[in-house]
């Protein structure tokens, strides 16, 4: 009953009694919509040309990146034959169920659980990364927040290394008025500047051109997105130390076939929490858990 549609475009939709809602495509377990303020405010940016039929990773929402972030190491790493950002975002996940709850103060929440195991990925991906894993991904909606948490388990005999990231496309009204706080003093790799290392010197990061930065080992828990000086979102990391800030700007946006409208980059910024600097290692039977809470503050 909770699954809407059938085939590759099926999704799970959950709504709170107060009107807030979330939509998760089974393909990639990609959150494609999250509305707060009684359902009035869409918090995620989704390209008008995003493929929602399972033919391509979704351009927008919250794609799940696993087991490698970005282009994999050229050779010599078990992930080397995988596509950019791995296979989780292009695999069909299983819907494991929905649980609704109400706390003592009468606040409602709903949690959706999704699973992906080795047997659920394409033959191609399994051949490229022949390791036994199980992912569980929980998406919890409250009145003013969305929590997304992954649990990674090594189900095999062999240990493995992975990276993980939540590629969240936050919706903003006007990127020229956006500032991102909570990264002061943090070292980052600037992918726009030949992957050189820098340190965040300003309290507020402004997006004024193509931006593609990997902030590493961030001591602060929260990255805040403000517009016109007003807090829009707090992105709170849980057991994830890194955050990518990405905006393709004019040329890169135009070069992506599934990015629309062309000036859509003015209405989005990706704040992507993850563990992408180096590798997480799991031995047989071990588990890793990490995620985020995004608070909608408007
Ligand atoms: C970001 C990367 O996380 O994702 C960028 O840092 C990349 O380098 C962007 O361009 C989009 O990736 P993709 O594979 O979805 O086009």
């Amino acid at each position: 009953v909770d699954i809407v549609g059938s085939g590759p475009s099926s999704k799970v939709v959950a709504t709170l009694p107060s009107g807030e809602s979330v939509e998760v495509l089974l393909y990639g377990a990609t959150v494609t919509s999250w509305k707060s303020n009684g359902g009035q405010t869409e918090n995620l940016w989704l390209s008008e040309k995003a493929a929602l039929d399972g033919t391509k990773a979704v351009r927008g929402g919250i794609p799940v990146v696993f087991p490698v972030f970005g282009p994999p190491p050229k050779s010599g790493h078990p992930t080397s034959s995988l596509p950019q950002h791995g296979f989780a975002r292009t695999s069909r996940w299983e819907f494991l169920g929905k649980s609704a709850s109400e706390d003592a103060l009468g606040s409602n929440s709903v949690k959706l659980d999704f699973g992906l195991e080795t047997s659920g990925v394409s033959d191609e991906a399994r051949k490229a990364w022949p390791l036994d894993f199980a992912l569980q991904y929980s998406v919890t909606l409250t009145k003013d927040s969305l929590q997304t948490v992954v649990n990674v388990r090594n189900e095999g005999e062999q240990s493995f290394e992975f990276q993980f990231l939540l590629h969240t496309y936050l919706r903003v009204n006007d990127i020229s008025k956006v500032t991102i706080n909570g990264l002061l003093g943090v070292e980052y790799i600037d992918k726009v500047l030949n992957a050189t290392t820098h340190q965040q010197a300003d309290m507020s990061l402004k997006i004024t051109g193509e931006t593609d930065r990997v902030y590493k080992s961030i001591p602060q828990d929260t990255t805040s997105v403000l517009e016109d000086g007003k807090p829009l979102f707090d992105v709170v990391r849980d057991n994830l130390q890194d955050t990518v800030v990405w905006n393709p700007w004019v040329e890169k946006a135009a070069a992506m076939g599934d990015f629309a409208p062309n000036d859509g980059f003015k209405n989005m910024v990706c704040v992507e929490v993850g563990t992408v600097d180096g590798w997480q290692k799991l031995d047989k039977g071990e588990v890793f858990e990490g995620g985020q809470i995004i608070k909608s503050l408007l």
Side-chain angles (χ1 to χ4, degrees):
V1 266
D2 294 316
I3 300 183
V4 179
S6 60
S9 339
S10 11
K11 60 185 178 183
V12 179
V13 180
T15 308
L16 294 180
S18 43
E20 294 77 14
S21 65
V22 66
E23 288 188 17
V24 187
L25 209 59
L26 291 185
Y27 181 74
T30 315
V31 178
T32 50
S33 166
W34 162 38
K35 290 182 184 161
S36 55
N37 282 326
Q40 305 290 304
T41 311
E42 174 60 62
N43 295 308
L44 300 175
W45 184 84
L46 180 66
S47 167
E48 286 170 9
K49 284 195 190 154
L52 300 173
D53 60 356
T55 54
K56 194 178 187 314
V58 176
R59 178 69 59 203
I62 313 182
V64 176
V65 170
F66 174 91
V68 64
F69 165 71
K74 283 210 170 58
S75 61
H77 192 269
T79 59
S80 289
S81 321
L82 288 174
Q84 153 131 325
H85 294 336
F87 52 72
R89 65 175 181 165
T90 52
S91 298
R92 187 186 162 96
W93 293 55
E94 215 182 308
F95 177 49
L96 304 176
K98 166 170 149 180
S99 48
S101 63
E102 189 178 336
D103 69 15
L105 298 170
S107 290
N108 290 282
S109 67
V110 61
K111 179 159 89 77
L112 304 172
D113 288 314
F114 301 88
L116 179 68
E117 300 187 0
T118 313
S119 57
V121 307
S122 68
D123 292 346
E124 215 181 341
R126 209 175 324 149
K127 229 174 111 193
W129 201 70
L131 293 151
D132 279 321
F133 71 93
L135 298 181
Q136 192 171 331
Y137 184 55
S138 302
V139 175
T140 306
L141 173 73
T142 74
K143 203 167 163 21
D144 47 23
S145 73
L146 188 74
Q147 180 173 27
T148 61
V149 177
V150 81
N151 178 295
V152 184
R153 181 188 294 272
N154 184 341
E155 299 268 307
E157 296 296 319
Q158 239 180 301
S159 48
F160 63 69
E161 291 185 325
F162 68 94
Q163 296 173 327
F164 168 76
L165 171 131
L166 294 163
H167 202 303
T168 307
Y169 289 73
L170 294 173
R171 170 172 281 281
V172 300
N173 283 319
D174 179 356
I175 192 71
S176 72
K177 296 186 175 144
V178 167
T179 48
I180 299 173
N181 287 1
L183 298 169
L184 182 65
V186 178
E187 264 197 2
Y188 63 90
I189 299 165
D190 196 328
K191 296 215 238 169
V192 176
L193 298 174
N194 296 315
T196 46
T197 300
H198 304 258
Q199 193 173 18
Q200 179 66 32
D202 298 321
M203 175 108 92
S204 297
L205 166 65
K206 292 192 171 66
I207 310 289
T208 54
E210 190 197 344
T211 304
D212 193 355
R213 300 177 173 188
V214 183
Y215 286 86
K216 311 189 285 182
S217 306
I218 309 170
Q220 302 92 316
D221 286 338
T222 302
T223 304
S224 303
V225 178
L226 299 89
E227 185 157 351
D228 245 341
K230 288 191 212 85
L232 268 189
F233 301 106
D234 273 351
V235 180
V236 185
R237 277 173 293 276
D238 181 11
N239 199 30
L240 295 172
Q241 271 68 50
D242 311 319
T243 288
V244 177
V245 177
W246 181 63
N247 183 298
W249 215 251
V250 184
E251 280 164 32
K252 284 271 164 70
M256 281 181 273
D258 61 352
F259 194 103
N262 271 345
D263 65 356
F265 68 90
K266 292 178 181 166
N267 302 117
M268 53 75 64
V269 62
C270 284
V271 175
E272 314 164 22
V273 305
T275 173
V276 297
D277 180 38
W279 300 88
Q280 292 286 341
K281 190 178 174 198
L282 287 182
D283 291 331
K284 175 185 176 179
E286 284 187 334
V287 170
F288 170 91
E289 197 165 273
Q292 66 180 351
I293 300 177
I294 315 174
K295 297 179 185 163
S296 164
L297 302 170
L298 255 201

